[in-house]
Amino acid sequence: MAPSLHDDVAHLSFLLGEWHGSGEGRYPTIEPFGYNEQVEFRHVGKPFVSYVQRTKHAETGLPLHAESGYLRPVGVDAVEFVVVQPSGIVEVHAGTVDAGSGSIVLEATDVLTTPTAKEVSAVRRSLSVDGDALSYTVDMGAVGQPLQHHLSATLHRQ
Amino acid sequence: MAPSLHDDVAHLSFLLGEWHGSGEGRYPTIEPFGYNEQVEFRHVGKPFVSYVQRTKHAETGLPLHAESGYLRPVGVDAVEFVVVQPSGIVEVHAGTVDAGSGSIVLEATDVLTTPTAKEVSAVRRSLSVDGDALSYTVDMGAVGQPLQHHLSATLHRQ
């Protein structure tokens, strides 16, 4: 039996479900690339929302990126987000939620990397849901480059 | 079709699979508690191993803890581990791997917490696999207490 949604995450319910779609990435230091993506936002009845993401290269179909994390509500209009990547990057974000328009804007307050990971200095993520369509962008400052557009994608709820 | 294991994580193959079991937790600031646990170590053919964990309270069956992260090999005897928890804690670990004895010892080089999370100052994790049995301990320094035993569990490969 599915647990009831915790009251503290009721205003994040627009995120819940499994989402599939595609996106594109670019950065001054790499070739632009397309990807297919699967995202899940889930809850277990506790006051957080879990996030799991995987992408595959649009042309080769090979696994490309993955990340997982948790959204922690702070009242009804703010949120904390912690997320970890196999590339050795962990991000701690503070952000705002506008449940009316289904949008979240997140800014990394801290980014940590393991000794063998690439340097990442700043990350900004924004996400909006309109019905069963979710679109997001990720801006990143990394490997000596200033914060700038890196990823954008549009996904659909399954 | 399952991807081939990447050569760089061959010495971590003793971890792979889904594990179920039980453990117990204690800390000076809380009542001791028992928990049931499910852990998955997976790979997608890339040079990392993903980790997902969930626990439920041994008596009530309610969701208790969760965490997810990634192991990144550094040669054949060292490893980096990044892990994130819905309690707003992210840990970056450096550690050693002894594939012969199936053991990993990890020490957090950095622990970050979100503004609303409890304070955690230090984490040490050790894990060993003997055939299809996995046992681990977690030591933690938190909420003003020094680094000390917090969790121990034994799991079995499904």
Side-chain angles (χ1 to χ4, degrees), chain B residues 17-20 37-41 51-54 155:
Chain B
E18 181 175 326
W19 306 78
H20 293 185
E37 181 167 18
Q38 177 178 334
V39 165
E40 291 174 46
F41 288 104
Y51 163 73
V52 177
Q53 185 254 33
R54 283 187 192 183
L155 314 177

Side-chain angles (χ1 to χ4, degrees), chain B residues 35-38 53-57 62-66 136:
Chain B
Y35 59 88
N36 296 317
E37 181 167 18
Q38 177 178 334
Q53 185 254 33
R54 283 187 192 183
T55 65
K56 294 185 175 183
H57 196 283
L62 291 173
L64 205 60
H65 185 77
Y136 73 80

Side-chain angles (χ1 to χ4, degrees), chain B residues 5-54:
Chain B
L5 188 64
H6 194 287
D7 285 347
D8 288 358
V9 292
H11 63 297
L12 297 175
S13 63
F14 65 87
L15 292 171
L16 296 172
E18 181 175 326
W19 306 78
H20 293 185
S22 61
E24 50 186 25
R26 55 189 160 88
Y27 211 67
T29 56
I30 57 172
E31 288 296 314
F33 61 99
Y35 59 88
N36 296 317
E37 181 167 18
Q38 177 178 334
V39 165
E40 291 174 46
F41 288 104
R42 304 283 185 198
H43 79 97
V44 293
K46 297 191 77 171
F48 65 84
V49 171
S50 67
Y51 163 73
V52 177
Q53 185 254 33
R54 283 187 192 183

Side-chain angles (χ1 to χ4, degrees), chain B residues 88-105:
Chain B
I89 300 164
V90 301
E91 303 168 28
V92 176
H93 287 261
T96 56
V97 180
D98 183 339
S101 67
S103 65
I104 297 179
V105 178

